[in-house]
Amino acid sequence: MNTVGQCEDINECLKLPRLCVPDSICTNNVGSYECICETGFKGTAGPYPNIVYECIDEDECALGRSNCITPQVCINNPGSYTCGCGEGWALDGTGICTDIDECVLNTHDCDHICVNKVGTFGCACRHGFHGLGPGGSPLMPEYRGDSKDCLNTDECIDGIDNCHTSATCIDTYGSFECKCP
């Protein structure tokens, strides 16, 4: 009651400690109050009407509610999300993900040759060497193996030398020599 004897609404939202749970908004009503979750959060019902028991982050990324454009990736934040770029990509000045050229930036870990690919990179070996990875680089078929680690190819053992049948093949680092008898 106020000094004139009239009933006066008490703003419960101003009370400390807070009556509403974290990530919620308190709204004063005449004679009561209500708690609703902030945008980006979902409430679970409590024992009292119009008062949430807990506000839980809604993962907009998992729910498919983001407006991220491929190849952007959705990154969930409490109550919201942001669009970023995955590994091998960077945001340009307009918010678009563009390929990072790891070869030009020298951020690769290739032994010999770096081959930029969209969103990533590959490694190739110079002639006379082979990679530990499967196959060859589709961009550079003259290189055997697509691997960051390159090993010397023994052309003599592999039978890929061009020595005369009466010559002896001698393997060298990255090549071979033919020695006549």
Side-chain angles (χ1 to χ4, degrees), residues 3-14:
T3 56
V4 192
Q6 296 174 329
C7 290
E8 189 175 290
D9 180 51
I10 297 170
N11 188 344
E12 295 87 355
C13 295
L14 298 177

Side-chain angles (χ1 to χ4, degrees), residues 101-155:
D101 190 337
E102 297 86 356
C103 303
V104 170
L105 295 173
N106 203 25
T107 57
H108 62 86
D109 56 356
C110 301
D111 263 2
H112 289 189
I113 300 167
C114 178
V115 181
N116 189 53
K117 298 178 180 181
V118 179
T120 188
F121 68 94
C123 300
C125 299
R126 292 190 303 266
H127 185 73
F129 295 87
H130 63 277
L132 299 175
S137 170
L139 300 176
M140 298 180 173
E142 67 271 23
Y143 299 106
R144 293 177 49 208
D146 187 14
S147 177
K148 72 178 194 81
D149 299 310
C150 297
L151 303 174
N152 178 53
T153 298
D154 189 334
E155 294 85 357

